[in-house]
Amino acid sequence: MQFTVTDAPEKERFEARDETGALAGLVTYQLTGAIIAYTHTEVGPEFEGRGVGSTLARAVLDDARARGRTVVPICPFISEWLGKHPEYDSIVARSTRKVK
């Protein structure tokens, strides 16, 4: 199953939707200048175990990199995901890397 991730700035979140347009998951954020803090990741129960969380994590981090933003991973899921993907280390705020 493919998921499309889009930014919904009016809601301060990224949304993952399936082929039918159903909301599969989301990542909320707070944007301050060039700093983006990812605060919460949520996946709908019917979509768990299908890679929605990882798809969201990669999409939001690729977006931050493309926009030259510094990431503050407040959300435990995003923080844990980053621990497995060192290719994003250069855009993560160092002092908050291990926030739990």
Side-chain angles (χ1 to χ4, degrees):
M1 182 174 280
Q2 292 289 91
F3 299 98
T4 303
V5 177
T6 55
D7 188 5
E10 70 284 355
K11 297 177 184 173
E12 293 189 312
R13 70 186 197 184
F14 283 86
E15 300 174 340
R17 296 185 180 274
D18 68 6
E19 297 94 345
T20 70
L23 183 63
L26 57 90
V27 173
T28 59
Y29 63 83
Q30 293 175 339
L31 182 62
T32 306
I35 298 171
I36 189 161
Y38 296 117
T39 55
H40 179 71
T41 302
E42 189 174 314
V43 174
E46 67 275 23
F47 293 100
E48 287 179 3
R50 298 189 192 176
V52 177
S54 292
T55 298
L56 276 162
R58 187 171 303 281
V60 302
L61 288 154
D62 285 346
D63 181 79
R65 179 185 280 158
R67 295 174 187 259
R69 292 177 173 157
T70 299
V71 171
V72 178
I74 295 169
C75 168
F77 177 83
I78 297 288
S79 185
E80 184 178 315
W81 191 90
L82 281 166
K84 299 173 189 168
H85 295 86
E87 65 270 26
Y88 292 99
D89 282 355
S90 65
I91 63 169
V92 177
R94 291 278 170 246
S95 63
T96 57
R97 183 60 199 277
K98 297 294 182 189
V99 171
K100 294 282 182 200

